[in-house]
Amino acid sequence: MESFIQFYQYTIFFYATLLVLISLFLAFFGYLNTYKNKLKYTKEEENILLEHREIAPPISIVAGAYNEEVVVVDATRAFLDLEYPNFEVVIVNDGSKDDTLHLLIEAFELTEVPHYIIEKVISQPIKRIFKSTNPLYRKLTVVDKKNGGTKADAMNAGLNVAKYDYFVNTDVDCILAKDTLTKVILPVLDSKTPVIAVGGTMRMVNGCEIDRVQITRVSPPRSFFPIFQETEYLRSYLITKMGWAYFNAIPNVSGGFGLFDKNIVIAAGGYDPESHAEDMDMTLRIIAHMRDHKLPYKIVNTPHSCCWTEGPPNLKVLYRQRSRWGRGLLQIFFVHHRFLFNKKYGRMGLVTLPYILIFELFAPLIEILGFLFLLYLSITSQINAHTFWLMFAYVYLVGLCISILTIALDFSVKKQYQTISEYVQLIISSALEAFLYHPFIILFTLAGYIQLLTRKEFKWGKMTRKGFSQSENPVNSKKKSDLPLS
C-alpha cells in the first residue's frame, strides 16, 4: 500500500505540473495572438470594409428556434440590425409548439413563398419558407420545418436554404455585437491560407443592461452560477482557444457563435443530428476533410467579445448543460477515435485530441478518484499535512493566477466593464471557484459520462427565459416561459 500511495502522489504531482505548464504555455501564446490581432485588425480596416461593399463577402446568419416565443422576435430584429453591408438572416423554426412562428409572421409581415430546395445536407423535411412583404425585412428568411430534435438538424435545414458561401452559426438566445460580422470576416480576407472557420469570444448576458436588444452597459452577472461561468468562458476563449489558434490547432468552434465556410461544412457532410457535441464534432470533421484531401486550411479565433448568451440561472439548468457537455465530450472519442494519435491528421491527431483526452476527458475522473483517495488517507491518518497544503497551494494559486491573467487580458482587448470594482468581482469569484463552483462541474460532467455509457435516453432540458429585456431583478423581467436549453 505504501508503494501505491507514493505512486499516486507522484502521478498527481506530475499530472498537475504538466497541466500547469501547458496552461502557462497557452496563456503566453494566447497573449501573443491577442496582441497580434489588435495590431492587424484596427478600426480603420473595419471602416474600409464597411465603406466598400464590393469587397465584403456576403454572410448568412443561421439560427435555429424551438419554442423560443419569448426571445425570437427581439433576436431576429437584433440580427437584422447588425452593421455589415452584405448579409441575410435565416431563422429556422424547428417545429415549435408555441407561438414562435406566429409571432415571426406577425412581427415581420411574412408570407409563404414557393420554394425549390436542393438538399445538400440531410435534415427533417422543410414544410414552408416565408419572406417579408416589407422591404425593411428583405434580408430575412424564415424556414418552417418538421422537428428534428436537435440544433444540428435545424442548422442543416438552414444550410440548405442559406444563399452565401459563409455562414454564422448562432442561437436566438444570443446577442451579437453590432460589429461582429466585420470582426470575424477580416481574418478570412487577410489570410493567404483558406480560413474555414472563425470563433469569437462569448460571455454572459446576465447582469448586462439591454435596450432594444443591444447591450448598453456590460456588467458582471450578479447571480451565483453565471458569474463563475463568465470567468470560465473568458479563460476558455482568451487563453485556451487563442493559444491553440496561434498554432492552428483549435479543437472546437463554439456552437453558440462561429463563422464557417459553408462549402467545406457541406463537403464534410453537414452537422451530425446524433451528436451531443455538434460544434466540436463539426470542427473535427472539417479539419479531417481538409487533411484527407491534403488541402491547406486555418481555423482562427478573435479575442473580441462577439456574442453574449444567457447562463444557467440555477443548479438544475447547470446540471442539464454540463451533463450534456459531458456526454458530448465522451461521444467524440467513441465516434472519432480514429483521429487520435493518427499522424495523418496532423496537430489534431497528435496534439489537440491527446490534450483533450488526458486533461479534459480524464480530468473529472482523476479529480474524483483523488478526492476519494485523499479521504481514505485522512481516515487512516496517512496524510502528510505539510506536503498536502504545499501541493494544494501550488495548484490553487497557479489556477488563480491564470484567471487573473485572463481578466487582465480581457481588459487589454477592450475595457468592457466601467468600474474597477466590477473587475474585482470577477477576481473574487475566481478565488472562490475551486470551492463553490468547480465541484458541481466535476459531478455533472461525470453524470454525463454515465448517461452516455448507460445509453440513457436524452431529452432537451428546459430553462427559464427572461427575454432580452431581462434583468436579474425579477421585478423588471419580462414574462417567463419554460423553454428548452439550446
Side-chain angles (χ1 to χ4, degrees):
M1 177 58 73
E2 185 176 345
S3 60
F4 177 77
I5 292 174
Q6 286 185 340
F7 171 77
Y8 162 78
Q9 290 173 334
Y10 281 116
T11 300
I12 293 298
F13 174 77
F14 286 117
Y15 180 88
T17 299
L18 189 57
L19 180 58
V20 165
L21 291 175
I22 292 173
S23 298
L24 293 173
F25 176 84
L26 290 175
F28 175 74
F29 285 100
Y31 168 77
L32 287 184
N33 204 10
T34 299
Y35 185 70
K36 176 176 149 186
N37 188 284
K38 284 183 66 177
L39 290 179
K40 289 181 74 174
Y41 310 122
T42 65
K43 201 67 181 175
E44 183 179 352
E45 279 75 21
E46 293 180 26
N47 289 337
I48 291 172
L49 194 60
L50 293 175
E51 291 167 5
H52 297 277
R53 180 188 181 94
E54 67 278 3
I55 65 172
I59 299 171
S60 300
I61 300 171
V62 182
Y66 176 72
N67 291 357
E68 297 283 9
E69 63 182 4
V70 173
V71 297
V72 70
V73 171
D74 284 344
T76 304
R77 289 191 193 281
F79 293 150
L80 291 169
D81 201 32
L82 293 178
E83 295 174 348
Y84 190 76
N86 303 319
F87 72 98
E88 66 169 347
V89 177
V90 179
I91 304 295
V92 182
N93 177 50
D94 194 26
S96 297
K97 297 177 182 178
D98 65 356
D99 283 336
T100 295
L101 181 60
H102 177 71
L103 290 172
L104 285 170
I105 291 172
E106 282 196 342
F108 299 102
E109 302 170 44
L110 301 178
T111 184
E112 185 177 351
V113 296
H115 66 276
Y116 175 76
I117 297 170
I118 298 175
E119 191 176 76
K120 307 176 194 74
V121 288
I122 296 174
S123 73
Q124 289 297 312
I126 292 174
K127 298 187 290 185
R128 295 176 293 176
I129 290 182
F130 295 88
K131 297 287 289 184
S132 179
T133 56
N134 188 332
L136 291 174
Y137 309 128
R138 65 188 181 280
K139 294 180 179 180
L140 176 63
T141 300
V142 173
V143 179
D144 183 31
K145 66 179 285 289
K146 182 180 177 182
N147 180 256
T150 63
K151 178 187 173 181
D153 192 79
M155 285 302 302
N156 283 343
L159 292 185
N160 286 328
V161 173
K163 296 186 295 185
Y164 300 137
D165 288 339
Y166 293 97
F167 75 95
V168 165
N169 172 6
T170 189
D171 299 317
V172 296
D173 64 336
C174 291
I175 296 179
L176 304 186
K178 280 206 167 190
D179 60 352
T180 285
L181 298 184
T182 307
K183 288 275 195 299
V184 294
I185 203 65
L186 278 173
V188 176
L189 295 174
D190 182 57
S191 177
K192 295 179 180 178
T193 304
V195 174
I196 60 174
V198 182
T201 299
M202 293 181 64
R203 55 200 307 164
M204 298 292 100
V205 74
N206 310 62
C208 296
E209 295 178 9
I210 301 169
D211 181 33
R212 297 181 183 178
V213 208
Q214 290 299 321
I215 296 176
T216 56
R217 189 183 192 282
V218 178
S219 301
R222 292 185 290 274
S223 52
F224 185 77
F225 292 110
I227 194 168
F228 290 116
Q229 199 158 358
E230 172 83 341
T231 312
E232 186 185 26
Y233 267 41
L234 289 176
R235 277 200 310 270
S236 172
Y237 288 99
L238 295 179
I239 297 293
T240 306
K241 290 189 178 182
M242 288 301 292
W244 284 125
Y246 191 90
F247 302 98
N248 192 25
I250 288 182
N252 176 30
V253 176
S254 172
F257 174 80
L259 175 84
F260 292 86
D261 184 320
K262 186 182 75 172
N263 295 319
I264 299 299
V265 169
I266 289 172
Y271 289 87
D272 180 7
E274 300 300 320
S275 177
H276 297 302
E278 76 283 343
D279 49 0
M280 180 178 283
D281 174 83
M282 186 76 263
T283 306
L284 296 179
R285 285 195 292 110
I286 60 176
I287 293 172
H289 170 80
M290 302 303 282
R291 298 288 305 186
D292 285 340
H293 293 83
K294 297 181 172 59
L295 299 171
Y297 72 93
K298 278 178 68 177
I299 297 178
V300 301
N301 202 77
T302 174
H304 297 282
S305 297
C306 294
C307 179
W308 278 262
T309 186
E310 188 176 351
N314 54 52
L315 194 63
K316 186 177 182 180
V317 178
L318 182 69
Y319 167 77
R320 289 170 179 156
Q321 181 195 65
R322 293 315 170 100
S323 61
R324 176 166 63 88
W325 291 7
R327 284 193 301 272
L329 184 60
L330 182 57
Q331 185 187 42
I332 285 293
F333 286 94
F334 283 137
V335 174
H336 297 304
H337 58 86
R338 69 187 179 93
F339 299 154
L340 191 61
F341 302 115
N342 188 336
K343 64 180 182 180
K344 177 182 177 181
Y345 296 102
R347 299 177 186 89
M348 179 179 76
L350 298 178
V351 179
T352 311
L353 281 178
Y355 167 84
I356 294 172
L357 176 71
I358 296 169
F359 295 107
E360 293 189 15
L361 184 69
F362 289 166
L365 296 168
I366 291 172
E367 289 191 50
I368 198 72
L369 289 175
F371 174 77
L372 294 174
F373 193 63
L374 185 64
L375 195 61
Y376 165 77
L377 293 178
S378 178
I379 292 171
T380 56
S381 302
Q382 298 184 67
I383 289 182
N384 184 322
H386 177 73
T387 304
F388 168 77
W389 287 113
L390 190 64
M391 282 290 296
F392 176 81
Y394 163 63
V395 175
Y396 173 77
L397 291 175
V398 170
L400 179 58
C401 286
I402 290 174
S403 292
I404 294 173
L405 177 63
T406 302
I407 295 166
L409 195 54
D410 177 60
F411 186 91
S412 72
V413 174
K414 182 179 180 181
K415 186 182 174 183
Q416 295 284 356
Y417 300 152
Q418 295 183 9
T419 66
I420 295 298
S421 65
E422 291 177 324
Y423 284 97
V424 171
Q425 288 178 44
L426 279 193
I427 294 173
I428 293 172
S429 69
S430 299
L432 298 174
E433 181 181 349
F435 311 104
L436 302 180
Y437 178 72
H438 188 67
F440 291 117
I441 301 303
I442 296 300
L443 293 174
F444 296 166
T445 302
L446 289 172
Y449 295 174
I450 294 169
Q451 289 169 5
L452 187 74
L453 293 172
T454 56
R455 300 176 182 270
K456 183 177 179 179
E457 183 182 356
F458 170 63
K459 294 181 179 179
W460 292 102
K462 295 181 179 181
M463 77 174 286
T464 300
R465 298 277 193 231
K466 294 182 178 180
F468 287 132
S469 297
Q470 60 93 15
S471 164
E472 290 182 324
N473 179 353
V475 174
N476 298 323
S477 63
K478 276 190 174 183
K479 171 188 172 184
K480 297 180 180 179
S481 175
D482 286 332
L483 303 177
L485 175 64
S486 56

